[in-house]
Amino acid sequence: MRKEPILSVIVPIYNVEQYLAECLDSLISQTEKNIEILCIDDGSTDKSKSIVETYISRYNNIKLICQPNRGLSAARNTGIYNAKGTYIAFIDPDDTVSENMYQKMLTVANTYQLDLVMCGFKTIPDNNIIYPNFPANRVCSTLDFIKYNKKIHEKNDLCFSWRFLLRKEWVFNKQIFFNEKIRYAEDMPYNLKALVSTTKVYLIKEALYYYRVNNTNSIMRSKYNPYMEDSLILQVKDKKELIEKYNLDQYTPITYDMAQYIIKRYTELLFSNAFNNPKTSNKLKDVEHILSLKFIRESFSIVGYKNLYNSKKEYIFYLLMKWEISFAVYNILKRQSIK
């Protein structure tokens, strides 16, 4: 009888023919050989599917599941539901990993009987090494892990599900699945739910994952994303529910940190998305709409009149947004050529 894999690596695929072979090669080259490579083709229209089929003809641990395009969250969930491994991990199809990434993470998980292990990453091609600001190289209680970091959102320290190793049985027991209605920036609410659903965690302070930042076709770098607004609203809702359920504000100022991040980052994303939306012509009206969004208004109420910026000019812009002086905000954005 064939031995079940210790790990299922889930590869959600959508039109990545340029990088997919490099990604699969890095998985084939892993020092841990008892792994299942589970490719989920999410309705690709390029040669991605045929590339995977070529690899399947050469390697018996690669599987392909095809589905209509439903987004990254749905593709990852399909992978979770079909995974045979004791543990699961994710990799984006334009990225690669160090050859011993999964062996190291599995060793830690098995040694300390953990549901969740994290690691650092390196950006490609600029080779910036990034570690989340949490206690490293030791078993840490979830609460101590969270207490340690006062700027989880600002520093993006819980972004990117691909730097997690998760025990599959625990994932099913705790119902840790992606919200399939979120089709932009879906990782953070998933990662936060995973973290608060366990009692201990281990961060390996090594850059084991290689994150490509120069793929212009990536959904995170596209000029216009039709799912952005609804997805941001939903992911903020999901995070708020977790923060309240687990009373996380008593350990770290996560609500305030999230409000700052929404103002400094999400408004910028939404403005850029609106200015690049080919279906709307009245951009002033778009600005008015963005500034009126409930989660944006709530964030301004939480932050109040604190200056989050380094310059007076930026703070004035903040006040204009806070006071919903839309025509002034619009004119400034237009002058700055937000596109």
Side-chain angles (χ1 to χ4, degrees), residues 229 263 267-268 270-271 284-298 300 317-330 333:
E229 181 181 314
I263 292 168
T267 56
E268 178 186 349
L270 289 166
F271 288 144
L284 172 58
K285 187 175 180 179
D286 291 341
V287 170
E288 291 174 348
H289 169 71
I290 291 166
L291 292 177
S292 71
L293 291 170
K294 183 181 177 182
F295 79 101
I296 301 289
R297 301 319 314 157
E298 288 175 346
F300 279 111
F317 184 69
Y318 165 87
L319 293 175
L320 293 173
M321 291 193 295
K322 179 178 174 63
W323 295 334
E324 293 185 81
I325 306 178
S326 302
F327 70 90
V329 172
Y330 165 74
L333 293 171

Side-chain angles (χ1 to χ4, degrees), residues 14 37 77 108 156 167 190:
Y14 182 72
I37 302 169
N77 281 345
V108 168
N156 283 327
R167 189 169 63 86
Y190 180 87

Side-chain angles (χ1 to χ4, degrees), residues 40 42 67 70-79 178-180 182:
I40 314 299
D42 193 45
Q67 64 184 34
R70 291 162 47 205
L72 178 59
S73 292
R76 284 175 170 171
N77 281 345
T78 296
F178 288 88
N179 183 339
E180 296 187 11
I182 300 178

Side-chain angles (χ1 to χ4, degrees), residues 74-243:
R76 284 175 170 171
N77 281 345
T78 296
I80 295 172
Y81 292 132
N82 287 275
K84 302 296 184 184
T86 305
Y87 294 89
I88 59 173
F90 307 100
I91 182 173
D92 284 351
D94 53 348
D95 297 338
T96 58
V97 291
S98 65
E99 66 177 8
N100 59 1
M101 173 173 171
Y102 296 122
Q103 185 176 55
K104 286 190 173 185
M105 298 185 84
L106 287 164
T107 297
V108 168
N110 285 316
T111 299
Y112 299 107
Q113 296 298 294
L114 299 171
D115 300 318
L116 178 63
V117 179
M118 296 174 63
C119 70
F121 65 94
K122 178 172 67 174
T123 60
I124 302 296
D126 49 4
N127 293 322
N128 287 328
I129 292 177
I130 299 171
Y131 305 119
N133 186 33
F134 295 111
N137 296 331
R138 64 182 175 90
V139 177
C140 188
S141 75
T142 299
L143 293 183
D144 286 342
F145 204 70
I146 292 172
K147 284 179 186 178
Y148 190 86
N149 194 327
K150 306 302 181 186
K151 296 183 177 181
I152 289 173
H153 282 89
E154 183 179 332
K155 302 297 185 182
N156 283 327
D157 283 332
L158 272 182
C159 285
F160 310 127
S161 299
W162 36 249
R163 58 182 170 186
F164 282 27
L165 178 83
L166 309 104
R167 189 169 63 86
K168 186 184 69 177
E169 183 180 12
W170 164 76
V171 167
F172 277 88
N173 288 342
K174 297 295 184 178
Q175 291 294 289
I176 307 169
F177 299 102
F178 288 88
N179 183 339
E180 296 187 11
K181 294 180 180 179
I182 300 178
R183 296 186 64 167
Y184 180 86
E186 51 280 291
D187 285 16
M188 175 64 170
Y190 180 87
N191 296 349
L192 183 60
K193 183 175 183 179
L195 183 59
V196 297
S197 297
T198 190
T199 57
K200 55 185 180 178
V201 63
Y202 194 109
L203 167 63
I204 301 173
K205 197 172 183 180
E206 292 184 54
L208 301 176
Y209 190 98
Y210 305 147
Y211 172 41
R212 187 181 302 278
V213 295
N214 65 337
N215 178 5
T216 56
N217 294 321
S218 168
I219 191 169
M220 293 302 292
R221 295 176 187 87
S222 59
K223 284 191 173 183
Y224 173 66
N225 185 319
Y227 304 107
M228 181 185 290
E229 181 181 314
D230 289 343
S231 293
L232 291 180
I233 290 170
L234 284 171
Q235 67 125 288
V236 169
K237 176 179 176 291
D238 285 359
K239 287 186 290 188
K240 282 184 175 181
E241 289 176 354
L242 290 167
I243 290 167

